[in-house]
Amino acid sequence: MSESLAPLQETLARIAEQGLVLDAEDLSRTTGISSAKDVRALLNGKDLADDDIDTRIRERVQLLCRRCLSENGKDYDDKDAVTALAKDIAGGIGVSIVWARQLVLGEKTPSMKHGHQLTRYFGVPDGFLTETPAAALNRALQPYLQIEHKIEADLDDPLAALKERFGLVGVARRGEPLSREEAKRFAGLIADVLQQNMEDQS
């Protein structure tokens, strides 16, 4: 197992515990991985053959360009649209239009400096152009773990869940600290009262 695949396997194991269904097509678009087939392979624990990093960068730049054109109802067959995109990129990252056009067409590999500027231009995370497929997929899956953390936090702190549910600034009481079970009962009592008040006012 490669070093970049190991963290992904840990992430997938935690997501599997939640029983979530992952959309390979959507993850392909989010990560820049060339195909949903490759995403499925990674989700199934398989490693992908190492690719040339320059090729990876050029392909991901083209993916971003293709996405940008598609959002405007255009594609690579529209030479005027490609030229307009190249001009916009040239102005955005400070290169010549000729060089930007070669970049859009996958004929040039951006330097580290221009690669960083391109990620900002397209609004994608740093590292998007250079990450291995496994690392890119692991990054894209992190929001699922944040959901897991939130669920765990809510289970551990019933009063925090109560505050979020009803938009409360805080919940105060006198006396000794509550056990988790006591906090659950206390939160349930307050929730019932608040819910009844909301229904009375509606």
Side-chain angles (χ1 to χ4, degrees):
M1 181 184 295
S2 70
E3 290 184 6
S4 62
L5 190 61
L8 173 61
Q9 293 303 306
E10 294 174 8
T11 298
L12 290 173
R14 294 176 64 183
I15 289 175
E17 294 174 358
Q18 301 178 55
L20 298 176
V21 178
L22 302 174
D23 186 331
E25 294 285 352
D26 182 59
L27 287 169
S28 175
R29 290 188 292 270
T30 304
T31 59
I33 297 173
S34 59
S35 71
K37 179 181 178 182
D38 286 344
V39 172
R40 292 188 189 96
L42 288 169
L43 291 176
N44 289 325
K46 298 177 182 177
D47 206 351
L48 302 180
D50 289 337
D51 58 353
D52 174 71
I53 189 168
D54 286 344
T55 299
R56 183 192 310 157
I57 292 171
R58 288 195 299 271
E59 287 180 349
R60 291 190 184 172
V61 169
Q62 282 196 291
L63 179 144
L64 293 171
C65 290
R66 190 175 299 110
R67 183 185 299 171
C68 187
L69 290 169
S70 177
E71 288 173 354
N72 292 292
K74 309 293 183 180
D75 57 33
Y76 267 95
D77 293 331
D78 189 328
K79 294 182 179 179
D80 290 338
V82 170
T83 299
L85 177 59
K87 287 181 178 178
D88 198 51
I89 290 174
I93 69 173
V95 298
S96 70
I97 296 173
V98 172
W99 193 89
R101 182 177 176 81
Q102 291 176 316
L103 187 71
V104 172
L105 296 175
E107 298 171 357
K108 289 286 186 182
T109 302
S111 65
M112 184 179 296
K113 172 186 174 182
H114 290 140
H116 176 68
Q117 291 173 324
L118 281 167
T119 60
R120 297 186 67 177
Y121 174 87
F122 285 108
V124 294
D126 288 336
F128 181 91
L129 300 179
T130 57
E131 287 175 321
T132 64
L137 183 56
N138 191 50
R139 169 183 51 76
L141 293 175
Q142 293 312 300
Y144 292 95
L145 296 186
Q146 292 171 12
I147 293 172
E148 176 194 37
H149 291 327
K150 181 179 182 303
I151 292 172
E152 288 176 348
D154 287 350
L155 290 175
D156 289 339
D157 187 353
L159 297 181
L162 179 71
K163 287 188 286 186
E164 182 171 338
R165 177 182 172 188
F166 291 98
L168 304 177
V169 175
V171 178
R173 60 172 293 280
R174 296 178 180 177
E176 296 295 321
L178 299 175
S179 69
R180 186 169 180 276
E181 287 303 314
E182 289 172 334
K184 283 177 64 177
R185 289 195 295 271
F186 182 60
L189 176 63
I190 295 175
D192 289 342
V193 172
L194 291 173
Q195 186 65 42
Q196 186 61 52
N197 285 342
M198 290 172 62
E199 292 173 358
D200 291 342
Q201 292 172 12
S202 62

